[in-house]
């Protein structure tokens, strides 16, 4: 495992390099010492042979020659002396050194130069599996060809070379061991900052960008550590900037009213917000498909392909049962290549509803105005053309024109009131009122009308905590007038209408109930819409403008209350207006 690390590789490299150098030096030194010892031995033998030849040249006695040979020649060497080039004298045998025949020396092309050419010669000679060094020195005698030969075995030289080799190998081994230790220490020391850099990089991979490499030296590794720390700081700054930018973009996308979907080059969804998720779920629910993960539907995927192919923005509308959506998809570029697309999804359900309401409003106003205007025009033309023959007919036509003009006035006034209320400009002129006499007065206002329609109207007082309220008297009267008038128009003959007032600890209630034809459940949610009218077959003679209940709802809401409807077809209808008791200003208990 250590050999895979930088320390192991550097250590192994140094060991191999030092081993090669030590091996080379060992072989060079062994060769050098071997050559040196042989040359030294040859030089000693040559010097001895010269000394012996000088004694012979001086014609010293034989005893002096033998004495000199025995004292100066090594015990591993033997001397061969020939004074005439034919016969040879050998010194005594030493250390079992084999005697080399003089004839063999004479026949050797190198060694015989000492006899015939008067040259100093030397040679390594193999005789009977024993290697020896032979040195020949000529005897300078003008009359005869004489020479002195000294030969010696190489065993002493080899022994000395062996000892030297052991010493060199020992020194090389010690050097190898020391090199191993110091190279490992040096490798660890050099790579310590690199190992620290590796730890810092591992930390950065885990998101710890504030880690630093300690700078211990000012060499190249120290400069590398300094540069690495600068890179780490800059990277930390860039990551923080990117994180903040990503959070900003994410918050912007999350807070957008429109839905946003980002797609990669294959059409897979990357980033979305809650509005986009709601759109996709509605789209899947519309197709009765179960959604396990967010993916594009077939039509959205076709739109994505079209964006990629044309490299242009594409627009699409999706109309569902309960909602309407507009989709604008634009390509995203990676320099010059499309890397995906982004889709902006807008919920235009409310816009569609408002547009429909606007169209319905225009149609309803036109319809409501067309009838009285037509009647005004028709009856006024009849008067102008003199169709009426008598004063009674003239008065009847005039009365119709008068009634229709009043109807138009009521319609215009209701429209103005409703417009002011829905625009938030409702001004309440609140004042204290005793609610019980107030309700009685309103009920008496319909006395003549109830007799004409054979309908009875009763007031009913339930539990009351305080009968003095702070309300806009005229607005509440307008509410009750509209509710009672609707009850009369939708009640049968001999019908019954009850106006009930009661209170709880926190709320005040006013109910208007009738025994009329009732309202179907599917029509109840639309009762307070402008110009909405139930089936005219259930009205008794008079038709309203279709704005009364809308005005009622806005007045009740302006007082901080709410209004509800309960009804059964054939059983009657009950409108309940609920007001908070914080409108009560005087708390006089009523028994």
């Amino acid at each position: 495992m250590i050999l895979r690390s930088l320390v192991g590789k550097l250590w192994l490299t140094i060991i191999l390099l030092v081993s090669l150098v030590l091996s080379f030096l060992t072989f060079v030194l062994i060769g050098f010492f071997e050559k040196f010892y042989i040359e030294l031995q040859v030089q000693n033998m040559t010097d001895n042979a010269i000394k012996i030849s000088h004694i012979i040249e001086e014609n010293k006695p034989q005893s002096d020659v033998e004495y000199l040979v025995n004292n100066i020649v090594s015990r591993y060497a033997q001397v061969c002396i020939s004074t005439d080039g034919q016969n040879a004298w050998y010194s005594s045998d030493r250390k079992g050194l084999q005697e080399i025949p003089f004839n063999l020396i004479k026949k050797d092309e190198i060694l015989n130069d000492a006899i015939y050419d008067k040259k100093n010669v030397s040679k390594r000679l193999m005789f009977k599996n024993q290697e020896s060094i032979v040195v020949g020195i000529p005897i300078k005698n003008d009359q005869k060809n004489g020479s002195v030969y000294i030969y010696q075995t190489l065993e002493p030289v080899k022994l000395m070379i062996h000892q030297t080799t052991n010493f060199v190998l020992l020194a090389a081994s010690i050097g190898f061991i020391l090199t191993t230790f110091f190279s490992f220490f040096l490798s660890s020391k050099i790579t310590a900052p690199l190992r620290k850099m590796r730890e810092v990089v591992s930390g950065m991979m885990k998101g710890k960008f504030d880690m630093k490499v300690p700078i211990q030296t000012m060499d190249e590794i120290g400069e590398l550590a300094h540069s690495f720390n600068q890179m780490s700081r800059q990277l930390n700054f860039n990551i923080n900037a990117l994180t903040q930018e990503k959070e900003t973009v994410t918050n912007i996308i999350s807070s957008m009213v429109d839905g946003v979907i980002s797609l990669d080059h294959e059409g897979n969804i990357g980033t979305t917000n809650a509005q986009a998720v709601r759109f996709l779920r509605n789209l899947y629910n519309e197709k009765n498909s179960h959604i396990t993960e967010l993916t594009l539907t077939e039509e959205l995927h076709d739109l994505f392909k079209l964006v990629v192919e044309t490299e242009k923005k594409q627009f699409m509308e999706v109309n569902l049962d309960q909602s309407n959506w507009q989709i604008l998809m634009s390509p995203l570029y990676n320099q010059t290549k499309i890397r995906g697309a982004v889709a902006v999804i807008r919920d235009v359900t409310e816009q569609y509803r408002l547009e429909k309401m606007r169209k319905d409003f225009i149609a309803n106003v036109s319809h409501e105005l067309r009838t009285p205007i037509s009647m005004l025009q028709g009856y006024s033309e009849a008067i102008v053309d003199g169709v009426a023959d008598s004063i009674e007919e003239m008065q009847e036509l005039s009365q119709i024109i008068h009634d229709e003009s009043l109807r138009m006035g009521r319609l215009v006034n209701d429209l103005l009131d409703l417009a002011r209320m829905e625009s938030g400009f409702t001004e309440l002129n609140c004042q204290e009122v005793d609610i019980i006499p107030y309700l009685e007065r309103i009920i008496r206002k319909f006395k003549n009308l109830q007799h004409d329609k054979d309908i009875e109207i009763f007031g009913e007082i339930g539990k009351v905590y305080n009968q003095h309220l702070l309300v806009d008297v005229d607005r509440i009267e307008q509410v009750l007038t509209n509710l009672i008038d609707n009850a009369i128009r939708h009640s049968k003959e001999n019908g019954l209408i009850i106006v009930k007032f009661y209170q709880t600890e926190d709320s005040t209630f006013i109910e208007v109930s009738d025994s009329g034809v009732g309202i179907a459940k599917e029509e109840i949610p639309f009762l307070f819409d402008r110009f909405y009218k139930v089936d005219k077959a259930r009205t008794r003679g008079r038709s309203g403008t279709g704005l009364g209940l809308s005005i009622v709802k806005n007045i009740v809401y302006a007082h901080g209350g709410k209004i509800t409807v309960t009804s059964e077809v054939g059983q009657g209808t009950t409108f309940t207006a609920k007001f908070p008791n914080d409108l009560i200003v005087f708390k006089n208990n009523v028994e």
Side-chain angles (χ1 to χ4, degrees):
M1 187 67 181
I2 192 173
L3 295 179
R4 295 183 180 180
S5 64
L6 182 59
V7 175
K9 293 178 180 179
L10 185 59
W11 172 73
L12 184 60
T13 302
I14 296 175
I15 292 300
L16 291 177
L17 181 60
V18 171
S19 299
L20 291 175
V21 172
L22 288 177
S23 299
F24 176 75
L25 289 177
T26 299
F27 288 115
V28 170
L29 288 175
I30 290 174
F32 170 76
F33 283 116
E34 181 180 3
K35 182 179 180 182
F36 173 75
Y37 286 136
I38 292 176
E39 289 180 352
L40 181 62
Q41 194 66 30
V42 170
Q43 185 64 39
N44 289 335
M45 294 169 62
T46 302
D47 292 341
N48 293 333
I50 291 173
K51 291 178 180 180
I52 295 172
S53 67
H54 286 169
I55 292 175
I56 296 174
E57 290 173 358
E58 294 176 357
N59 296 318
K60 297 290 183 177
Q62 182 69 26
S63 59
D64 293 342
V65 175
E66 292 179 0
Y67 176 80
L68 182 61
V69 169
N70 293 329
N71 285 281
I72 66 173
V73 177
S74 172
R75 58 182 176 174
Y76 296 99
Q78 195 168 13
V79 180
C80 175
I81 301 174
S82 175
T83 58
D84 56 4
Q86 299 298 326
N87 300 312
W89 173 84
Y90 288 88
S91 63
S92 60
D93 184 15
R94 300 181 179 186
K95 293 291 182 179
L97 185 63
Q98 296 181 6
E99 187 178 287
I100 299 176
F102 184 67
N103 291 331
L104 181 62
I105 296 175
K106 289 175 61 177
K107 292 179 180 180
D108 191 279
E109 295 180 355
I110 296 177
L111 296 179
N112 61 17
D113 288 343
I115 300 173
Y116 301 111
D117 296 334
K118 303 297 181 178
K119 293 181 180 179
N120 297 342
V121 296
S122 63
K123 181 180 180 181
R124 297 175 67 171
L125 183 65
M126 183 67 68
F127 179 70
K128 294 183 179 180
N129 298 325
Q130 188 177 45
E131 188 176 11
S132 302
I133 300 175
V134 182
V135 174
I137 299 299
I139 298 174
K140 297 179 180 180
N141 191 336
D142 296 337
Q143 299 176 356
K144 299 179 181 179
N145 294 325
S147 60
V148 178
Y149 290 96
I150 298 177
Y151 56 92
Q152 177 181 326
T153 181
L154 288 178
E155 290 299 328
V157 177
K158 291 181 178 180
L159 179 61
M160 189 175 296
I161 292 175
H162 178 69
Q163 292 176 352
T164 303
T165 301
N166 291 337
F167 177 78
V168 172
L169 292 177
L170 178 62
S173 300
I174 295 174
F176 179 80
I177 294 173
L178 293 177
T179 302
T180 301
F181 174 76
F182 285 109
S183 63
F184 185 81
F185 174 76
L186 181 62
S187 301
S188 301
K189 190 71 175 177
I190 293 175
T191 58
L194 300 180
R195 293 196 301 271
K196 186 62 179 178
M197 289 182 190
R198 184 185 62 184
E199 295 177 2
V200 173
V201 170
S202 299
M204 293 174 65
M205 292 175 61
K206 298 178 182 178
K208 301 177 182 178
F209 296 100
D210 55 346
M211 299 179 66
K212 294 183 178 180
V213 179
I215 302 175
Q216 300 176 350
T217 60
M218 295 305 296
D219 53 6
E220 290 81 359
I221 296 180
E223 293 178 357
L224 177 61
H226 180 71
S227 300
F228 189 88
N229 289 336
Q230 287 185 336
M231 182 192 71
S232 178
R233 286 193 297 269
Q234 187 64 33
L235 185 60
N236 187 27
F237 175 79
N238 293 336
I239 292 297
N240 290 334
L242 289 175
T243 302
Q244 293 177 1
E245 184 176 355
K246 182 179 179 181
E247 290 178 355
T248 301
V249 173
T250 301
N251 291 333
I252 291 175
I253 293 176
S254 300
S255 60
M256 287 179 62
V257 177
D258 297 334
V260 177
I261 299 177
S262 65
L263 306 171
D264 59 13
H265 64 283
E266 295 181 352
N268 299 320
I269 295 178
T271 303
T272 60
N273 59 358
Q275 189 76 346
V277 173
R278 185 170 70 90
F279 163 71
L280 291 176
R281 294 190 183 278
N282 290 340
L283 197 58
Y284 276 97
N285 292 335
E286 182 78 12
K287 298 182 178 182
N288 297 322
S289 300
H290 179 67
I291 179 173
T292 57
E293 60 178 354
L294 294 178
T295 56
L296 297 181
T297 58
E298 184 177 354
E299 57 266 38
L300 292 179
H301 203 273
D302 293 339
L303 182 64
F304 170 75
K305 290 182 179 179
L306 185 60
V307 170
V308 174
E309 292 175 357
T310 60
E311 298 185 3
K312 295 181 179 179
K313 298 179 181 180
Q314 299 295 333
F315 179 79
M316 176 182 181
E317 289 190 1
V318 177
N319 297 318
L320 306 179
D321 289 342
Q322 302 296 329
S323 58
N324 305 91
W325 306 81
Q326 292 179 349
I327 304 171
L328 179 63
M329 189 175 293
S330 304
L332 294 177
Y333 291 91
N334 184 9
Q335 293 180 351
T336 58
K337 184 179 179 182
I338 293 181
R339 61 179 179 87
V342 59
V344 178
I345 305 168
R346 176 166 297 179
D347 186 356
V348 293
T349 305
E350 185 66 17
Q351 297 180 14
Y352 273 57
R353 189 185 70 84
L354 293 176
E355 181 65 19
K356 183 176 183 302
M357 288 179 60
R358 185 185 68 83
K359 293 179 180 180
D360 292 345
F361 176 78
I362 294 175
N364 290 328
V365 170
S366 300
H367 175 73
E368 292 295 333
L369 290 177
R370 182 176 58 189
T371 299
I373 289 176
S374 297
M375 296 184 68
L376 288 174
Q377 181 179 1
Y379 286 109
S380 61
E381 288 178 353
I383 293 175
V384 172
D385 294 339
V387 175
D389 297 332
S390 62
I391 297 176
E392 290 78 8
E393 291 180 352
M394 183 71 70
Q395 289 179 345
E396 181 180 0
L397 294 177
S398 300
Q399 185 63 39
I400 293 174
I401 293 173
H402 178 70
D403 292 341
E404 293 301 324
S405 63
L406 292 177
R407 181 182 174 188
M408 289 179 61
R410 288 196 306 271
L411 177 61
V412 172
N413 290 332
D414 288 347
L415 285 173
L416 293 175
D417 290 342
L418 185 60
R420 284 195 296 268
M421 292 178 185
E422 291 184 346
S423 299
F425 293 104
T426 304
E427 294 183 1
L428 298 179
N429 185 17
C430 295
Q431 57 184 334
E432 175 193 348
V433 62
D434 190 340
I435 193 65
I436 296 177
Y438 176 73
L439 293 177
E440 291 177 349
R441 180 177 62 82
I442 294 176
I443 293 174
R444 284 197 301 270
K445 186 171 65 173
F446 290 92
K447 184 176 182 180
N448 293 330
L449 185 61
Q450 70 181 25
H451 290 307
D452 294 339
K453 302 298 182 180
D454 295 329
I455 295 174
E456 295 186 6
I457 302 176
F458 294 96
E460 182 178 331
I461 305 298
K463 188 173 183 179
V464 178
Y465 289 90
N466 192 304
Q467 67 185 51
H468 293 87
L469 302 180
L470 184 65
V471 295
D472 189 325
V473 177
D474 294 334
R475 294 293 186 183
I476 296 300
E477 182 176 352
Q478 186 178 3
V479 169
L480 294 175
T481 300
N482 273 288
L483 294 178
I484 295 173
D485 183 68
N486 280 342
I488 293 174
R489 286 191 290 108
H490 291 85
S491 293
K492 302 176 183 178
E493 293 183 357
N494 301 319
L496 178 63
I497 297 174
I498 299 176
V499 180
K500 184 177 180 179
F501 173 82
Y502 63 95
Q503 291 178 331
T504 62
E505 293 182 356
D506 56 356
S507 301
T508 297
F509 297 87
I510 299 177
E511 290 184 358
V512 177
S513 303
D514 63 64
S515 58
V517 294
I519 303 172
K521 291 182 178 180
E522 59 270 15
E523 292 185 348
I524 290 178
F526 307 102
L527 287 179
F528 298 101
D529 292 345
R530 291 177 296 181
F531 295 108
Y532 183 81
K533 298 180 182 180
V534 296
D535 188 0
K536 292 184 179 181
R538 290 185 291 191
T539 63
R540 302 184 69 250
R542 293 190 306 132
S543 176
T545 61
L547 300 174
L549 290 180
S550 295
I551 295 173
V552 166
K553 182 186 73 171
N554 282 277
I555 293 175
V556 173
Y557 283 3
H559 282 79
K562 66 178 182 178
I563 186 168
T564 58
V565 182
T566 57
S567 180
E568 291 186 14
V569 177
Q571 300 296 324
T573 304
T574 299
F575 287 85
T576 303
K578 177 182 177 182
F579 301 94
N581 274 350
D582 54 7
L583 293 176
I584 301 176
V585 292
F586 299 106
K587 295 184 178 180
N588 297 325
N589 292 331
V590 178
E591 297 183 356

